[in-house]
Structure formats: structure tokens, C-alpha cells
Amino acid sequence: MHLQTLPGLFISHGSPMLAIDPEQVGPALHRLSTNLPRPKAIVVMSSHWESNAFEISSHSRPETWHDFRGFPEPLYQIRYPAPGSPALAEQMIQLFSSYDFVLHPNSTRPRDHGVWVPLLHMYPDADIPVLELSLPRQATAEQLFEIGQIIAPLRQQQILIIGSGSITHNLSELSWQDPNAQVPSWASDFRNYVAYHLKHGLYEKVLAWQSIPEVQRNHPSLEHLAPLFFAMGTGSISSIVHSSFSMGALGMDIYRFDS
């Protein structure tokens, strides 16, 4: 059976409300999935699993975790019962050990919304095995990029690799009551800088995130930008799948990485 190479992706997963109010992003995620070969498995690094050690979910049936508060009740009824894959988790542990990275199995971790909210739109049948990688707190942008490079060959085994975060993420500056609020220039300028340098293959400009204009205002903490560095490692050719903003300053971009 011929295996097809899948891209690496960076997905801005936005608010948990994306699960029931897809705006422009839900249809974009659905179109993206229908245009790709069906994955044999999906590996996601989510901004919502920060850890001290580097970990991978190894349970055969992870729970759906509603890791948020104060949202409408229907959101808490949603389940994403995709299986895990202990065998693939073990394969990845071995892969990383050959690069002197210690990847620890975690059999108790439930699936956070950074994983299941975008996958709900991409693969609503929840019938493809999904593994989650943690985001090591102490990892530099360059180390996350290297993790993406190590995992990139899995793309040739028809495994979809996703970094799930947000291109901009300052919750205190969002217009929560107005999804169509004006986009402030500090958010659009940041997003345009990142998109321009990715498109032109200037990855080093993005990895040097401290120098990106308005980075502190767009990312008061770095965990939602960090999965981008991981996704960048999976492919040297970048393209924009989708670009939009929600509630003013929340960037909802989706980027694709190919070799």
C-alpha cells in the first residue's frame, strides 16, 4: 500500500467556542482536511499541555477534557472519542531517544481543547488515532523547531503533525462581545511580520521571536506561539491556508509546512 506524505500544520484554535460557533475557521479546517489524504494517525502539540518533562499521551482511549470555565453548557457535552495509539507513542519514544531527547509516556493525560476543538471540524467522526505531545516549559524556540525536525519523517508514514496554538493571543485585549470588532494594528502588524517571513523561508526571523514587533502585546506569555516553532520544523516550505481575526485581536491563521 502506497503511503502519502502529509504536511505539518500550525492551527490557531481560538476560543473553545469554535467548537459550536465555527465562524470562518471551522469551514477552512474542514476544507483543509478534505483536500488531504486521510491520515493514519494525528500527532498534536497543544499550547494547553505545558509540562516540565517532554511527554506524549500513551493511553488507548484518552478522555475529552473541558479545560475551561464559564462557557455555555452545550460545550461541556461535546466528546471527541478518537482512539490513542500506544504503539505509535512507543515508536516516537524510540525515535526521540536516538536523538538524545527523553520523551516520557503519560497514560493519564486527557485531551485538552487545543486538540479536540480543531479536530472536531477536520475529522468529526473521531475515528483516526490521535496522540498529544506536551510543550516543555523550558524549551527554546530552536529546541521546539528541532523537535519538529525529528518528528517530520513521520509525515511520510501518512501521519498528520499539528502545532495547535494561536498566531496572536492576548485575552485581556479582546472584544469578547463583538466577533467582528476592528483588528488593531499591533495585532495585524505582528501577524503580517510572521506570515511574510514564513512565506519567504526566513524562519530564523520568526525563531528570533524576541525581535518581532509588538511580541509582548500579542503574546504576554509564549505558550500559544510556541507550537508554531514546532510546526515550522516539520517542513521548509510554508504556505498560508487561512487568515482571519476574531473578536478584534485574536489571530486565527492556519499555516501549512511541506518539504
Side-chain angles (χ1 to χ4, degrees):
M1 182 180 161
H2 177 63
L3 293 177
Q4 293 174 285
T5 300
L6 286 165
L9 299 174
F10 172 72
I11 293 173
S12 299
H13 60 249
S15 151
M17 286 297 291
L18 181 65
I20 51 179
D21 181 12
E23 295 186 25
Q24 301 173 53
V25 185
L29 287 167
H30 178 70
R31 280 193 303 275
L32 173 59
S33 65
T34 56
N35 288 325
L36 292 175
R38 178 183 162 87
K40 293 193 159 306
I42 302 167
V43 178
V44 186
M45 178 183 279
S46 165
S47 56
H48 293 282
W49 185 9
E50 292 183 275
S51 63
N52 293 323
F54 184 32
E55 300 184 48
I56 186 165
S57 60
S58 58
H59 198 281
S60 59
R61 288 277 167 192
E63 294 288 327
T64 304
W65 187 18
H66 302 84
D67 54 323
F68 42 77
R69 279 186 301 203
F71 286 90
E73 185 54 35
L75 204 48
Y76 298 91
Q77 305 307 317
I78 295 173
R79 296 289 178 273
Y80 192 79
S85 175
L88 180 56
E90 185 54 42
Q91 180 189 338
M92 290 175 62
I93 289 167
Q94 297 301 326
L95 171 66
F96 277 98
S97 72
S98 64
Y99 288 89
D100 291 331
F101 271 86
V102 181
L103 179 60
H104 301 269
N106 184 323
S107 61
T108 60
R109 169 78 187 185
R111 218 170 252 152
D112 62 66
H113 77 274
V115 179
W116 61 263
V117 167
L119 291 183
L120 211 53
H121 296 288
M122 296 180 78
Y123 302 104
D125 294 338
D127 55 355
I128 298 170
V130 178
L131 288 83
E132 182 171 4
L133 276 176
S134 75
L135 176 59
R137 281 192 185 87
Q138 307 308 324
T140 64
E142 289 76 15
Q143 286 169 329
L144 292 169
F145 182 78
E146 186 182 354
I147 289 170
Q149 289 179 309
I150 291 169
I151 205 176
L154 294 180
R155 293 176 33 229
Q156 295 161 17
Q157 298 177 30
Q158 215 160 314
I159 293 171
L160 184 63
I161 302 168
I162 299 173
S164 176
S166 211
I167 193 61
T168 64
H169 193 262
N170 185 340
L171 300 187
S172 68
E173 298 235 29
L174 298 186
S175 305
W176 288 94
Q177 306 310 319
D178 184 3
N180 302 310
Q182 189 73 30
V183 181
S185 60
W186 54 265
S188 57
D189 289 352
F190 177 90
R191 179 260 162 215
N192 292 343
Y193 180 100
V194 172
Y196 173 88
H197 289 94
L198 288 178
K199 184 180 169 192
H200 291 89
L202 301 169
Y203 284 17
E204 68 281 0
K205 294 283 195 184
V206 180
L207 291 173
W209 57 269
Q210 298 95 330
S211 306
I212 304 178
E214 301 281 13
V215 67
Q216 295 305 137
R217 194 163 183 190
N218 283 280
H219 291 280
S221 56
L222 203 64
E223 78 286 342
H224 276 76
L225 188 62
L228 173 61
F229 308 140
F230 163 73
M232 287 163 59
T234 65
S236 55
I237 300 165
S238 166
S239 52
I240 299 170
V241 175
H242 173 79
S243 184
S244 65
F245 280 86
S246 177
M247 296 181 284
L250 187 61
M252 297 302 297
D253 284 19
I254 303 168
Y255 303 140
R256 173 178 175 147
F257 299 92
D258 294 276
S259 312

